[in-house]
């Protein structure tokens, strides 16, 4: 599980890790969120699910864990899961669900300053708009918590170096 704020290097790192970890595949739970946004109309959602974050939809959390379980069971692959998940209860649900599927779960939290995140988001062609600003601040603040260990500070690191750090940490366990 590669966690961290938008622009911290999760997707780039996951793409570099996948060919280096035998029998692995990338599973991006954002795709489940996009699907749910297409099929669930606003009036179908419970009041607490009517936010700008599909992770607040309980079905997203359930389907993320169930999909990971089915991928592991059917294809017998190691899952590399890049996602930004900083709300403590959502994080606990997903992490505990993954641990029920496979007791050998690794969680890495890529951290970076808000300035670095802004630069990376703009370099990839996105606008660091109000939504990004709000979620970046919330994520940067939340990810400082020890709950989100193993922290890897990425401000000065390229994805290849982040990948090497993660591979070293996996091999040490």
């Amino acid at each position: 599980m590669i966690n961290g704020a938008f622009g911290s290097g999760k997707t780039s790192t996951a793409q570099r890790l996948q060919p280096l970890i035998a029998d692995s595949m990338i599973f991006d739970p954002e795709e489940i969120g996009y699907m749910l946004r297409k099929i669930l109309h606003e009036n179908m959602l419970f009041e607490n699910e009517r936010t700008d974050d599909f992770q607040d939809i309980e079905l997203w959390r359930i389907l993320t864990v169930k999909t990971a379980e089915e991928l592991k069971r059917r294809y017998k692959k190691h899952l590399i899961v890049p996602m930004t998940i900083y709300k403590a209860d959502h994080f606990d649900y997903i992490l505990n669900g993954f641990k029920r599927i496979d007791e050998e779960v690794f969680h890495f939290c890529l951290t970076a300053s808000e300035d670095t995140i802004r630069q990376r988001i703009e370099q990839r062609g996105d606008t660091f708009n109000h939504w990004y600003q709000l979620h970046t601040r919330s994520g940067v603040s939340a990810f400082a918590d020890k709950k989100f260990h193993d922290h890897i500070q990425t401000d000065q690191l390229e994805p290849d170096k982040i990948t090497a750090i993660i591979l070293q940490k996996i091999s040490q366990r």
Side-chain angles (χ1 to χ4, degrees), residues 15-60:
Q15 290 169 343
R16 284 169 175 77
L17 274 173
Q18 194 276 318
L20 302 174
I21 298 176
D23 296 319
S24 69
M25 63 182 288
I26 295 174
F27 164 48
D28 187 348
E30 278 192 5
E31 299 300 328
I32 293 171
Y34 299 146
M35 177 195 70
L36 289 174
R37 280 202 176 139
K38 285 182 182 180
I39 64 174
L40 296 176
H41 299 284
E42 180 87 11
N43 62 354
M44 297 170 69
L45 298 173
F46 295 105
E47 189 65 35
N48 63 323
E49 296 177 330
R50 294 180 188 167
T51 70
D52 66 349
D53 187 348
F54 55 69
Q55 292 184 11
D56 291 328
I57 301 171
E58 183 180 11
L59 188 55
W60 175 82

Side-chain angles (χ1 to χ4, degrees), residues 70-88:
E70 287 302 311
L71 289 169
K72 284 287 289 178
R73 186 182 67 75
R74 294 177 67 85
Y75 302 107
K76 314 241 186 300
K77 300 280 186 189
H78 299 290
L79 302 180
I80 300 170
V81 185
M83 74 170 120
T84 297
I85 185 162
Y86 59 84
K87 294 177 183 174

Side-chain angles (χ1 to χ4, degrees), residues 55-113:
Q55 292 184 11
D56 291 328
I57 301 171
E58 183 180 11
L59 188 55
W60 175 82
R61 297 185 298 277
I62 292 166
L63 290 176
T64 294
V65 173
K66 290 282 190 193
T67 302
E69 180 178 31
E70 287 302 311
L71 289 169
K72 284 287 289 178
R73 186 182 67 75
R74 294 177 67 85
Y75 302 107
K76 314 241 186 300
K77 300 280 186 189
H78 299 290
L79 302 180
I80 300 170
V81 185
M83 74 170 120
T84 297
I85 185 162
Y86 59 84
K87 294 177 183 174
D89 56 335
H90 298 1
F91 173 77
D92 290 340
Y93 183 94
I94 299 294
L95 185 61
N96 290 332
F98 287 176
K99 286 180 178 178
R100 281 191 302 275
I101 297 164
D102 185 344
E103 57 192 44
E104 191 176 41
V105 172
F106 295 89
H107 173 261
F108 301 101
C109 185
L110 308 186
T111 61
S113 69

